[in-house]
Amino acid sequence: MNNFKNDEDIFILFAHASYQLNEGFKTHNLKYKSKQVYTYDDLKSNIDKADILCVSGLWDNNLIDLAKNLKYIQLTGVGYNDFDLEKLKSRGIKLSNAVGLNRIVVAEHTMSLILSLSRFLHIARDNQNKKYWAPFISNPAERQAEINGKTAVIFGLGDIGNTIAKFCKNFGMKVIGVKRNTNVKLDNVDKLVHTSEFQNIVKEADYLIISSSLNNETEGIINKKIFEKMKPESYLVNVARGGCVNEPDLINALDNNLIKGAALDHLSTEPLDQNNPLWEYENVIITPHSAGETPNYETVVPEIIIENIKRLKSKNNELLHKVI
């Protein structure tokens, strides 16, 4: 922040379609100028004045050329696959995410999805809307089940994945983790395998949980080959990016009973296209990218920004949650 003589010169632009981040920032009563925008068009119109941008969902890389004064971008979440990192580096723009902010709530959401699938809560709600009292189920294999003793295979053991593993263990599940670096000790993982063994280990999963980032290695990693190795009574739970799952292959797996069902928090498009077949499956739960929803954004994200401004002003480039 060497270009700023006074705090009053720093302009922070908050861009989010819903969260009132500037309101949370203002509670700190600092001298920095700030503004909130809620649409892409307003972001585009104001980004040329911004020294700092806090953004989620409204970003595209065309904005980089308009951001003449931008020094630092703060994300409200973890994923940064939408950002052209090389172009940001070439412009000297720093990028930080908010890793850890929503790890608890995403893990809780994951367990909610697992419990809903096992206890047929989504079907019960559908029946409630139809005023239908479902009878007891004669066939043991078709009944609601317990998750105690079941196996969760977790692909992606970062901050969120490790918290999911802890919660699964608290429910008495066996946990198998899939990770590139297996030279680590993880307290809540019964077995840790390298990503190269992923296709073989999925056959043990009662619940295959995806909590990885989206990158060149993970895009479409849940595909036909994976579904063909899964047990027909197993479930897919995706709280990562929709791009990790090959949707046509998932639809084929559901149509051919390769898996018992799925719970999906993120899909190919947001909002999900109304013509997407996944809306129609009784054994699929869809949540609208809400796994990370928490009341803490307006509190925690401004605190990260304030600390990182202090570091930049003192020429300390090691920002909190630094990406580049």
Side-chain angles (χ1 to χ4, degrees), residues 42-95:
D42 284 343
L43 169 57
K44 186 176 180 181
S45 298
N46 286 274
I47 197 169
D48 62 320
K49 302 184 285 290
D51 302 298
I52 297 163
L53 173 65
C54 178
V55 65
S56 177
L58 301 177
W59 176 264
D60 75 38
N61 287 305
N62 295 321
L63 294 169
I64 298 175
D65 292 330
L66 302 176
K68 304 182 186 304
N69 297 307
L70 196 59
K71 309 292 190 303
Y72 152 48
I73 298 173
Q74 176 63 53
L75 305 182
T76 63
V78 177
Y80 50 85
N81 52 289
D82 292 334
F83 289 79
D84 186 334
L85 300 186
E86 293 305 316
K87 192 168 184 179
L88 290 177
K89 284 180 186 177
S90 71
R91 287 281 310 278
I93 299 172
K94 302 185 185 304
L95 177 69

Side-chain angles (χ1 to χ4, degrees), residues 221-240:
I221 196 163
I222 310 303
N223 52 37
K224 183 180 179 181
K225 292 180 180 178
I226 297 297
F227 291 124
E228 287 177 344
K229 290 184 179 286
M230 291 175 69
K231 297 186 289 189
E233 62 271 20
S234 64
Y235 293 98
L236 170 69
V237 179
N238 184 22
V239 291

Side-chain angles (χ1 to χ4, degrees), residues 155-195:
F155 183 87
L157 282 168
D159 218 24
I160 291 172
N162 275 307
T163 307
I164 294 171
K166 177 182 177 181
F167 287 4
C168 287
K169 290 300 294 179
N170 288 341
F171 274 91
M173 301 181 78
K174 177 183 177 183
V175 176
I176 300 175
V178 183
K179 189 175 173 67
R180 278 179 296 182
N181 178 15
T182 56
N183 296 317
V184 292
K185 186 180 184 309
L186 301 173
D187 292 337
N188 297 296
V189 174
D190 297 293
K191 183 178 180 181
L192 185 62
V193 302
H194 190 266
T195 50

Side-chain angles (χ1 to χ4, degrees), residues 306-318:
I306 291 165
E307 174 59 28
N308 279 342
I309 290 174
K310 290 178 183 176
R311 296 188 184 197
L312 288 168
K313 288 174 67 178
S314 64
K315 301 181 183 180
N316 178 1
N317 290 323
E318 290 306 310

Side-chain angles (χ1 to χ4, degrees), residues 285-296:
I285 300 173
I286 295 172
T287 55
H289 200 173
S290 57
E293 193 92 306
T294 167
N296 297 330

